[in-house]
Amino acid sequence: MAKFEFLPENELKSHIKSGSFAPCYVFFGDEHYMIKTHLKNMISSAVDDFLEFNIARFEGGGNLREICDAANSFPMMATKKAVSVADFPVDKLTSADSEVLKELLSELPATTLLIFWFESVEIDPKKPSDKVAKFFETVQANGGVICNISRKSQSELVGLLQRGAAKRRCRLDPSVARYICELCSDDLSTVVNELEKLCHFVGVEGVITKETVDKICSRSVESSIYNVSKLLLRGDLSAALHAVDDLLYMNTDPAYIITTLSSAYIDMYRALAARSASLKPENVAKDFGLFKTAFRLTEADRNLKHFSEAQLLKALKSLAECDRLIKGSKCDSRAALEACMLELTVIRQGAK
């Protein structure tokens, strides 16, 4: 299988800013907010007049013949027209369809900007399906560009939040920006919405503090569960039980709670392995593919002061047994969770 060259996001931004476009673009990845943002900005940059006549949009893949007709027609009283195709059904293309697509891309008018973008269709950038790989090859062979728009790391999100706050004439320190990411989500669309709320609340020249974030922002379910693990690791069983009670009241799946709760202790075991190998947590995070949550491994390393290796293994066994009970029997899930949390607290105290 061919190895594909993906255009870096900063170079994509340069294409948009300069208005110097390739004939065809493919946007895919797990950062849907940025995919839509780049799509919007690219079309706005390319089409300068009579937008209703010079922009053709196809949702859910569209009809290939209609896409060809739109792409081959000339713009009306403008230098360029844009054709955007959402969730093109690449894996359902017949051999005849593939030939039609190849012909379209090889003869695409210079006045047409063709953009395929994927939102509900998942594509593995390392191992795309055979048909997706062939689609990529056809696009690149005809001067097209492929962009894998992946989720931002926490440091990138922090920078985006700070710049966003500065544009709205608000002050946001890096530590508070990181807190927003940890509390709300690593999804860009979510944190941007939370930033809008925060800036509106504090007003122009206002300062966004952690207290403001706690008051205004919506905590993600995952973050709420992860907060339970923080409370348990601090030995605050009462607060942890109240937090779980709130999650269950919101109909959060107990299986999801125990899985996410377990991840905090698994992170500690990874941090312990890193420490044993004299490696930094952030470097080990890359080996486990934890690019977006590497901060958790650093935090897990700090939490190791409460646990010996034997205690940590006991905690993991307790979590595994709770997971087995919740997922594999008709036991009372709340009772199983509470019993596990009590046992984790006792293990932390060194009584076992």
Side-chain angles (χ1 to χ4, degrees):
M1 184 179 290
K3 187 176 181 180
F4 301 104
E5 295 273 338
F6 298 135
L7 186 74
E9 214 170 334
N10 61 330
E11 291 187 32
L12 174 61
K13 291 177 182 178
S14 296
H15 286 209
I16 295 170
K17 186 175 181 180
S18 66
S20 178
F21 299 115
C24 176
Y25 289 82
V26 177
F27 296 158
F28 77 99
D30 53 13
E31 187 48 83
H32 299 150
Y33 176 85
M34 286 309 302
I35 288 176
K36 291 178 180 177
T37 298
H38 292 317
L39 175 71
K40 177 183 175 182
N41 292 341
M42 180 169 279
I43 291 175
S44 296
S45 174
V47 182
D48 50 15
D49 213 346
F50 291 92
L51 306 188
E52 63 272 28
F53 297 105
N54 293 316
I55 300 175
R57 303 181 190 274
F58 295 90
E59 304 294 332
N63 178 280
L64 182 56
R65 181 53 59 189
E66 291 177 355
I67 293 170
C68 291
D69 289 343
N72 285 318
S73 63
F74 290 98
M76 177 178 287
M77 300 179 69
T79 57
K80 219 168 188 66
K81 75 173 298 182
V83 178
S84 84
V85 184
D87 292 332
F88 188 60
V90 178
D91 279 326
K92 295 181 180 179
L93 289 180
T94 64
S95 298
D97 289 335
S98 296
E99 289 302 315
V100 171
L101 182 63
K102 184 184 294 186
E103 183 180 348
L104 168 66
L105 293 175
S106 65
E107 299 178 358
L108 199 65
T111 52
T112 295
L113 173 63
L114 179 59
I115 309 168
F116 294 95
W117 62 284
F118 298 89
E119 182 176 30
S120 61
V121 176
E122 292 187 10
I123 295 175
D124 186 340
K126 294 181 179 179
K127 293 182 179 180
S129 68
D130 290 343
K131 287 193 175 182
V132 170
K134 186 175 181 181
F135 171 64
F136 282 177
E137 288 173 5
T138 301
V139 169
Q140 289 190 328
N142 291 281
V145 171
I146 303 169
C147 306
N148 177 17
I149 315 295
S150 58
R151 287 203 173 192
K152 308 296 181 186
S153 65
Q154 190 188 57
S155 59
E156 290 173 319
L157 283 175
V158 167
L160 285 166
L161 286 173
Q162 285 195 280
R163 291 192 292 274
K167 287 179 181 178
R168 296 164 177 83
R169 297 172 62 191
C170 297
R171 180 182 165 188
L172 177 64
D173 289 340
S175 61
V176 181
R178 280 193 295 273
Y179 184 61
I180 294 172
C181 298
E182 293 170 16
L183 184 76
C184 303
S185 176
D186 65 351
D187 175 69
L188 182 56
S189 178
T190 300
V191 294
V192 167
N193 287 336
E194 296 300 329
L195 180 65
E196 291 281 0
K197 287 159 55 178
L198 289 163
C199 291
H200 180 75
F201 180 80
V202 301
V204 176
E205 306 300 335
V207 179
I208 299 172
T209 64
K210 285 189 176 181
E211 290 72 23
T212 313
V213 173
D214 286 332
K215 184 184 295 184
I216 299 299
C217 290
S218 302
R219 184 187 288 269
S220 70
V221 173
E222 183 180 5
S223 175
S224 296
I225 300 171
Y226 207 78
N227 186 54
V228 173
S229 69
K230 289 182 179 180
L231 293 169
L232 287 173
L233 291 168
R234 287 207 304 262
D236 194 344
L237 177 61
S238 177
L241 288 170
H242 280 297
V244 166
D245 190 55
D246 289 339
L247 285 163
L248 293 173
Y249 178 77
M250 293 186 293
N251 294 320
T252 307
D253 185 356
Y256 183 57
I257 294 176
I258 191 62
T259 298
T260 307
L261 183 60
S262 299
S263 68
Y265 289 81
I266 293 170
D267 283 345
M268 281 199 293
Y269 196 80
R270 288 167 172 162
L272 179 65
R275 186 180 288 187
S276 301
S278 301
L279 296 172
K280 293 182 178 179
E282 56 268 29
N283 293 333
V284 175
K286 296 178 182 178
D287 295 333
F288 288 103
L290 304 175
F291 300 106
K292 314 307 181 220
T293 56
F295 69 93
R296 290 186 178 175
L297 213 57
T298 302
E299 187 174 332
D301 183 71
R302 291 195 295 266
N303 287 328
L304 281 174
K305 64 184 178 184
H306 301 303
F307 286 84
S308 66
E309 183 175 357
Q311 285 173 301
L312 185 53
L313 288 172
K314 286 180 180 178
L316 289 169
K317 287 179 181 178
S318 178
L319 288 159
E321 176 61 15
C322 182
D323 183 83
R324 185 189 69 79
L325 288 172
I326 289 174
K327 295 177 181 177
S329 69
K330 295 181 180 179
C331 74
D332 184 329
S333 296
R334 178 190 291 271
L337 275 170
E338 292 179 351
C340 179
M341 291 164 66
L342 174 60
E343 188 170 5
L344 291 173
T345 303
V346 173
I347 291 170
R348 180 190 179 279
Q349 293 170 346
K352 281 197 173 184

